């Protein structure tokens, strides 16, 4: 039987995740997301949480399909790890799971709904991480003057990634005693809860 305190902690974390979607100013809006290279080197970066589904136990982010993280997913095990921290709630949520690309038609629809300033992140002429001799944003020189339809070319770079959480940990800091909870997805697609030593 799942203890009430375990369920309550899980619920608190999901409340923060749901609030954090598309809200980079909120603590859970900009998680640190990690991938591992084919040679086993870990890479972490901040991303914006673009979607969270408590029912499915899934998280979404947007990225450039030419980026390093996408190569890591293809070459490595296809897993991503996410870490969130709320200083007000003193709650760390970390999770990982297999991460896949949403279908092309979904990516296309999502991209076409993006305003021009958001398209910028996917519109660099060379892939993110390309070495430069001078500092540059990588965008076409006339980006600012371009009408919306001349930014459509970036659609091919735009990708929505979905992590199906298979393992999560919640760490609740508290002066009277920290609590650490492990949550794992079982074969029946339900969650198993287990207290851990913090
Ligand atoms: C506040 C903030 C939010 C960011 N959001 C995203 C994002 O949602 N998607 C993304 O691909 N990169 C985002 N970035 C840039 C990444 O941190 C990273 O620099 C970029 O994705 C390249 O990563 P990679 O080469 O390791 O794949 C964000 C950076 C900051 C500082």
């Amino acid at each position: 039987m799942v203890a009430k305190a375990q369920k309550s902690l899980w619920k608190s974390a999901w409340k923060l995740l749901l609030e954090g979607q598309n809200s980079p100013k909120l603590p859970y809006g900009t998680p640190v997301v990690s991938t591992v290279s084919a040679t086993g080197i870990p890479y972490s970066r901040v991303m914006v949480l673009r979607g969270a589904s408590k029912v499915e136990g899934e998280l979404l982010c947007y990225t450039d399909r030419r980026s390093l993280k996408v190569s890591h997913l293809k070459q490595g095990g296809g897993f991503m790890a996410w870490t969130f921290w709320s200083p007000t709630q003193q709650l760390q949520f970390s999770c990982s799971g297999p991460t896949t690309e949403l279908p092309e038609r979904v990516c296309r629809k999502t991209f076409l709904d993006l305003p021009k300033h958001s398209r910028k992140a996917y519109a660099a002429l060379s892939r993110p991480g390309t070495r430069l001799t001078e500092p540059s944003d990588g965008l076409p020189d006339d980006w600012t003057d371009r009408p919306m339809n001349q930014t459509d070319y970036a659609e091919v770079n735009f990708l929505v990634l979905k992590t199906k959480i298979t393992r999560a940990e919640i760490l609740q800091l508290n002066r009277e005693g920290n609590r650490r909870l492990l949550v794992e997805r079982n074969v029946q697609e339900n969650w198993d809860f287990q207290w851990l030593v913090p």
Side-chain angles (χ1 to χ4, degrees):
M1 204 182 83
V2 178
K4 214 170 153 186
Q6 293 174 332
K7 267 199 167 168
S8 161
L9 207 48
W10 182 238
K11 215 171 138 186
S12 303
W14 275 99
K15 186 168 183 289
L16 288 168
L17 288 167
L18 294 168
E19 286 169 359
Q21 300 174 83
N22 293 306
S23 302
K25 294 217 159 86
L26 292 182
Y28 271 36
T30 50
V32 173
V33 179
S34 304
T35 49
V36 181
S37 78
T39 52
I41 299 172
Y43 286 73
S44 297
R45 76 284 288 164
V46 171
M47 294 183 80
V48 176
L49 175 66
R50 293 295 178 184
S53 162
K54 182 170 187 258
V55 176
E56 306 294 339
E58 290 172 351
L59 303 177
L60 299 181
C61 61
Y62 297 168
T63 197
D64 188 315
R65 66 171 72 240
R66 301 167 296 173
S67 65
L68 202 61
K69 63 183 89 53
V70 178
S71 320
H72 291 167
L73 290 171
K74 286 189 177 136
Q75 299 158 3
F79 270 61
M80 238 160 60
W82 303 59
T83 305
F84 302 81
W85 165 242
S86 165
T88 47
Q89 306 285 316
Q90 295 283 289
L91 207 69
Q92 172 179 264
F93 181 83
S94 45
C95 67
S96 58
T99 301
T100 51
E101 303 180 1
L102 289 197
E104 241 176 80
R105 64 182 160 74
V106 180
C107 295
R108 180 175 309 126
K109 159 111 188 51
T110 310
F111 178 85
L112 291 175
D113 288 342
L114 292 180
K116 190 180 160 194
H117 66 87
S118 304
R119 292 181 170 197
K120 231 169 144 162
Y122 318 101
L125 295 175
S126 306
R127 69 166 189 80
T130 302
R131 287 167 193 255
L132 296 170
T133 47
E134 298 285 333
S136 162
D137 58 12
L139 296 171
D141 290 340
D142 64 347
W143 176 267
T144 315
D145 304 322
R146 282 193 180 209
M148 189 69 164
N149 65 355
Q150 283 179 32
T151 66
D152 286 348
Y153 73 91
E155 186 214 307
V156 292
N157 304 328
F158 179 76
L159 180 63
V160 185
L161 289 171
K162 178 179 79 180
T163 299
K164 176 177 173 167
I165 301 171
T166 47
R167 184 188 194 281
E169 275 197 30
I170 303 169
L171 177 67
Q172 168 86 81
L173 298 187
N174 189 311
R175 276 185 197 172
E176 281 145 40
N178 297 341
R179 296 285 181 266
R180 180 172 171 184
L181 181 67
L182 168 68
V183 185
E184 289 175 303
R185 196 191 283 264
N186 62 29
V187 284
Q188 287 88 32
E189 297 281 321
N190 294 318
W191 300 110
D192 290 333
F193 296 83
Q194 173 70 58
W195 292 117
L196 302 176
V197 175

